[in-house]
Amino acid sequence: MDPVLSLGAGLLLLLLWVRHKGLEYLLLHHRWVFVCLFLLPLSILFDVYYQLRAWAVWRLHSAPRQHSQRVRNIQAQVREWKKEGRKTYMCTGRPGWLTVSLRVGKYKKTHKNIMINLMDILEVDTERQVVRVEPLVTMGQLTAHLNPMGWTLPVVPELDDLTVGGLIMGTGIESSSHIYGLFQHTCLAYELVLADGSLVRCSPTENSDLFYAVPWSCGTLGFLVAAEIKMVPVKKYVKLHYEPVRGLEKICEKFTEESKKKENNFVEGLVYSLEEAVIMTGILTDEAEQGKINRIGNYYKPWFFKHAEKYLKANQTGSEYIPARHYYHRHTRSIFWELQDIIPFGNNPIFRYIFGWMVPPKISLLKLTQGEATRKLYEQHHVVQDMLVPMKSLEKSIKTFHSDLNVYPLWLCPFILPNNPGMVHPKGDEMELYVDIGAYGGPKTKQFEARASMRQLEKFVRNVHGFQMLYADCYMSREEFWDMFDGSLYHKLREQMNCKDAFPEVYDKICKAARH
C-alpha cells in the first residue's frame, strides 16, 4: 500500500477512535498521543517564530527605539484606568496559560488587563558588564544572545521559557547560586510603571526601598518594564564531576561541603531515594579533553537526570566536559523529569533519535490544552514545589519530604541568602547558606492528600525559617503566609504608593485559600 494512503488510513482510524472515546478521555488517559501529534509540532513553530523575531529585532536595532513608545503606551493604559474610576485591580494582559507556573490565574478575567508587549534585549554594555532587558525576555533568548559574545548571566535559571519578569517578581535559582544568590541578587536596577502611571527607576542607591520590595511581590507594586542584570564572562565548557553518595547523613555532609567551596562554579544534587544521590560539581574552563566532551543538549542524547543516574547505578565517580550552554539548559529537554509522566517512552533511544528534536513541548501549550479533568487530577495527585530551607536543616527536610510526599528524584540547589531588606531574608543578621529542594512528580506516600499534605509541609518549612516558591500551589492562611515572609517593607510601600486599590495583595493573588 502507498505510504501516504497508509498514513491517511492510520490518521482516520485515530480520529474515529478519538470521536468514540472523546477528546477529554484522550487528554486524560493517553495524553502522549495529543502531545506527540499536535503539541510538539506546534511548539517547534512557536520557537521558530520567536527566534526569527528576536534575530530581526536585534539586527534592525529596533528594540531601544520602540521601547520608549511601548512604555508610554503602558502608562497611557494605567492613566485610562484611573480616569475610569479605578473600579477593579490591574494586572498584566498576558494570558495565564503563557506563564510557566502551573497555577491557573482566574483573576485575569475580573481585573483590568494592561497589555505589556515587552520581549526584547535592549542593550549589552560590556564595559559595565550589564545587560538591559525587557521583562518578557526568556533565559533561552538571553543565553543564545550572550554566550556567543563571551558573556552569560551569573544565575541562569534552568528552563528556556522562564522570563526575566517572572524571575524578578517571583524568584529564580541555579547551581551557581551558592556564589551569587537568587536571580534577584544579580539584578542592578528595575524600571517600573506605578499605580499613578509614573515611570520610576530603582536600584540599591535610588529608590532603594522599592528595589528591595519588588522581588517576590508578583506584580503587586507596579508593572516591570525593564531590568538591568549583571553579566559575567563565560567559558566554553563546564567540567562536571559526578559523585554517587549513599546514606542520608553522608549525602547532606557532602552536599554542604561542596556548596561552601567557592572554587566550585556550580553545585547540584539529585536525590534518587532517601539513601541515594548524585552530587555534581562544575568548573568553567576553555580547555577540554576531546574524548570526554558530552554535548548533553543534543536532541538524541539521554535526558540529563537519567544520564546522572548511571553513575549511581555503576557506583562510580566520573568527570566530563559539557558545552556551557548545554549545561545551563541541561534539564530543559525533559522539563527536569516531568516529561516522563507525559511521554513515558520519551527517553527511549528510538524516540529520541526520531522525534527528540521536537522535545520539549511548550509548558504554556500543555497548560492551555490540559482540560479541567486533567487539571484536577494533577492538582490532587501531582506535586510541583520548590521549598527553600537553611542548609543546616537539609537532612531533616529530606526526611520530611520523604514522609509527606515520597517524590523522587529531588532536586537540590544551594544558594547564599544575603540579609537584604524585603520579603525573603535569613532569620539572623548575616547572610546564610540555604538550599532549594525541588519536588516534581506523583507522590507515592499512601496518606497523600493535596491540601492536608501540603499544609503539613508548609508548616515544617515555616518552622525552620524557610520559604516556599510562589509559582506553586500555596495552601497557607494569610496569617501563616506573613509568618513565612517578611511583609513589613512590602506593606509600607503599598500604603505609600497607593497600591491597595490598584493591585491585589500578593497573598490574594497566589494563595489557594484566597483565590476565586
Side-chain angles (χ1 to χ4, degrees):
M1 185 183 287
D2 186 280
V4 176
L5 290 176
S6 299
L7 180 61
L11 287 173
L12 180 60
L13 288 172
L14 177 63
L15 291 171
L16 289 172
W17 179 72
V18 171
R19 184 179 179 184
H20 172 68
K21 289 291 189 178
L23 184 59
E24 189 75 12
Y25 177 90
L26 176 69
L27 293 177
L28 188 60
H29 298 285
H30 302 282
R31 200 177 185 198
W32 64 267
V33 175
F34 185 76
V35 169
C36 291
L37 291 180
F38 298 102
L39 295 194
L40 288 182
L42 196 55
S43 297
I44 290 292
L45 293 176
F46 262 63
D47 281 337
V48 169
Y49 167 75
Y50 282 111
Q51 286 171 11
L52 287 175
R53 184 197 174 280
W55 178 83
V57 166
W58 186 253
R59 294 293 294 177
L60 296 171
H61 303 287
S62 61
R65 294 196 305 270
Q66 294 178 355
H67 176 73
S68 297
Q69 179 55 47
R70 288 171 179 163
V71 171
R72 286 194 293 271
N73 179 260
I74 293 167
Q75 291 177 283
Q77 291 179 71
V78 172
R79 287 166 183 150
E80 182 64 26
W81 166 81
K82 286 176 63 181
K83 286 181 184 177
E84 291 171 353
R86 307 165 72 104
K87 296 174 183 176
T88 62
Y89 291 135
M90 290 184 289
C91 67
T92 65
R94 191 184 188 209
W97 60 269
L98 274 175
T99 63
V100 172
S101 167
L102 296 180
R103 186 170 55 241
V104 179
K106 295 181 179 179
Y107 61 86
K108 298 272 186 182
K109 296 177 181 178
T110 57
H111 294 181
K112 171 72 173 178
N113 282 216
I114 304 298
M115 301 310 297
I116 299 180
N117 184 31
L118 300 171
M119 56 181 73
D120 295 318
I121 298 169
L122 299 173
E123 181 185 4
V124 178
D125 188 334
T126 55
E127 288 189 13
R128 293 175 55 224
Q129 297 190 13
V130 172
V131 57
R132 182 168 173 256
V133 299
E134 294 179 329
L136 295 181
V137 167
T138 66
M139 290 299 100
Q141 186 180 346
L142 263 173
T143 55
H145 187 83
L146 294 179
N147 288 176
M149 300 171 65
W151 298 95
T152 189
L153 302 183
V155 175
V156 183
E158 179 56 43
L159 301 178
D160 285 19
D161 290 342
L162 292 170
T163 64
V164 168
L167 295 168
I168 290 171
M169 290 297 185
T171 194
I173 191 170
E174 196 27 72
S175 53
S176 56
S177 289
H178 67 296
I179 299 173
Y180 298 106
L182 298 171
F183 187 82
Q184 69 201 56
H185 300 127
T186 68
C187 295
L188 304 175
Y190 309 127
E191 296 169 39
L192 297 101
V193 172
L194 304 183
D196 62 358
S198 61
L199 176 64
V200 171
R201 185 180 186 275
C202 58
S203 71
T205 57
E206 180 184 5
N207 297 310
S208 60
D209 278 357
L210 181 58
F211 177 79
Y212 289 115
V214 163
W216 297 77
S217 66
C218 297
T220 59
L221 292 173
F223 295 111
L224 184 70
V225 294
E228 293 178 21
I229 310 168
K230 190 185 306 179
M231 296 190 306
V232 293
V234 71
K235 295 184 178 180
K236 292 180 181 178
Y237 302 100
V238 173
K239 183 181 181 182
L240 195 63
H241 179 75
Y242 302 82
E243 184 167 345
V245 185
R246 286 179 165 82
L248 181 58
E249 186 177 344
K250 289 184 178 178
I251 290 170
C252 296
E253 285 178 1
K254 181 65 176 175
F255 186 75
T256 303
E257 176 190 335
E258 296 297 342
S259 299
K260 290 179 178 178
K261 294 179 181 177
K262 298 303 181 186
E263 61 265 31
N264 288 328
N265 297 124
F266 306 99
V267 179
E268 174 183 25
L270 294 179
V271 183
Y272 291 92
S273 74
L274 185 61
E275 301 291 335
E276 297 177 309
V278 176
I279 307 300
M280 288 157 282
T281 55
I283 298 172
L284 286 163
T285 177
D286 282 323
E287 305 297 328
E289 300 174 45
Q290 287 305 310
K292 288 190 173 183
I293 295 176
N294 183 3
R295 292 177 171 81
I296 194 70
N298 288 348
Y299 69 88
Y300 50 83
K301 288 285 189 174
W303 290 346
F304 182 77
F305 78 98
K306 287 293 187 183
H307 172 68
E309 191 178 17
K310 291 178 182 177
Y311 293 91
L312 182 65
K313 290 180 176 179
N315 196 30
Q316 64 181 25
T317 61
S319 296
E320 62 184 4
Y321 296 83
I322 300 177
R325 191 161 188 265
H326 287 225
Y327 176 80
Y328 287 134
H329 301 285
R330 64 200 176 282
H331 290 297
T332 293
R333 288 189 301 122
S334 57
I335 317 179
F336 281 87
W337 31 94
E338 286 281 73
L339 198 57
Q340 67 182 350
D341 291 333
I342 299 169
I343 307 177
F345 46 83
N347 194 47
N348 182 284
I350 296 174
F351 180 87
R352 293 202 312 265
Y353 274 89
I354 298 175
F355 300 108
W357 59 277
M358 293 194 290
V359 168
K362 290 286 185 187
I363 295 174
S364 53
L365 294 179
L366 289 171
K367 282 177 65 177
L368 180 65
T369 59
Q370 67 181 350
E372 188 63 20
T374 307
R375 188 187 67 78
K376 287 181 178 178
L377 185 71
Y378 262 66
E379 191 174 285
Q380 292 302 318
H381 304 287
H382 196 87
V383 165
V384 180
Q385 291 282 347
D386 282 86
M387 299 293 187
L388 316 181
V389 298
M391 185 67 81
K392 61 190 176 187
S393 302
L394 177 58
E395 184 175 348
K396 185 165 50 173
S397 299
I398 292 177
K399 287 179 179 177
T400 302
F401 269 74
H402 180 79
S403 61
D404 289 353
L405 303 179
N406 194 9
V407 170
Y408 292 100
L410 291 174
W411 188 55
L412 302 184
C413 186
F415 69 99
I416 198 72
L417 185 61
N419 188 32
N420 292 339
M423 287 176 60
V424 172
H425 54 75
K427 191 173 184 178
D429 295 330
E430 298 180 354
M431 67 171 57
E432 185 174 348
L433 188 61
Y434 270 62
V435 56
D436 173 13
I437 304 178
Y440 324 119
K444 293 180 176 61
T445 184
K446 291 181 180 178
Q447 70 272 20
F448 180 79
E449 193 279 318
R451 185 177 184 279
S453 298
M454 285 313 307
R455 280 188 53 77
Q456 188 169 306
L457 186 60
E458 288 167 348
K459 181 180 179 181
F460 167 81
V461 173
R462 288 197 306 275
N463 288 341
V464 298
H465 198 71
F467 308 94
Q468 180 179 22
M469 281 199 186
L470 301 184
Y471 75 87
D473 284 333
C474 174
Y475 293 85
M476 290 182 281
S477 68
R478 192 181 304 272
E479 183 180 357
E480 291 165 342
F481 182 85
W482 290 118
D483 181 43
M484 177 179 284
F485 296 97
D486 182 354
S488 54
L489 180 60
Y490 172 79
H491 290 303
K492 171 188 162 186
L493 284 177
R494 276 179 60 83
E495 188 77 40
Q496 286 180 358
M497 300 191 307
N498 297 317
C499 293
K500 289 189 172 182
D501 61 350
F503 307 104
E505 186 183 297
V506 61
Y507 174 82
D508 295 311
K509 192 171 182 180
I510 63 98
C511 283
K512 273 189 168 291
R515 294 203 313 270
H516 54 276

